[in-house]
Amino acid sequence: MARNAPILITDAEPSLDKQRHSREIRYLLMMSLRAVCLIVGSVLAVMQVPLLWLWLLLCGLGMVLLPWMAVLVANDRPVKPEHRWRHKPRAATGTSPRELPTKPTGKTIDADHE
């Protein structure tokens, strides 16, 4: 009879509700930044600041690109751990998850007294 390997809870992905909630938060932050670009652009236009054309261009780009980026982020699933930039590989202990016991044996292993 083949034994199924135990599933490590540390390898489990966050629940779908948590994933959706984090995407909603990122979407709201990006759309809030878009609103800030709109407000800053209108205030700068009224004040007639130096290099107005540059500031309006930057605010306009923010108002056009941020909604597009926010929708992409909101509809995308989370990145898999192996594709992240700051991925930390699991420490090499010499024991794979398949070699771990499924039930506690009652024995403890002390690394100092081997």
Side-chain angles (χ1 to χ4, degrees):
M1 178 162 110
R3 297 174 76 191
N4 292 335
I7 298 173
L8 297 177
I9 192 66
T10 56
D11 291 340
E13 291 187 18
S15 69
L16 294 177
D17 287 336
K18 286 184 181 180
Q19 290 177 13
R20 182 180 47 86
H21 181 69
S22 68
R23 289 194 315 261
E24 287 174 351
I25 296 296
R26 280 184 273 164
Y27 179 82
L28 287 174
L29 288 173
M30 293 177 84
M31 294 307 283
S32 298
L33 186 58
R34 178 184 186 235
V36 168
C37 286
L38 176 66
I39 293 168
V40 168
S42 61
V43 168
L44 291 175
V46 170
M47 293 176 52
Q48 296 295 320
V49 296
L51 296 174
L52 179 63
W53 63 272
L54 179 63
W55 291 110
L56 290 179
L57 178 68
L58 291 175
C59 288
L61 282 174
M63 288 186 297
V64 170
L65 294 179
L66 281 172
W68 173 70
M69 292 169 39
V71 169
L72 287 179
V73 168
N75 289 327
D76 196 16
R77 64 177 189 208
V79 180
K80 292 182 179 178
E82 60 265 13
H83 298 299
R84 291 188 184 180
W85 288 352
R86 291 181 266 162
H87 172 63
K88 295 179 184 176
R90 190 182 299 180
T93 59
T95 306
S96 72
R98 296 188 189 282
E99 297 171 349
L100 294 175
T102 56
K103 289 194 242 180
T105 59
K107 296 180 185 177
T108 59
I109 299 174
D110 191 0
D112 296 334
H113 300 290
E114 286 187 86

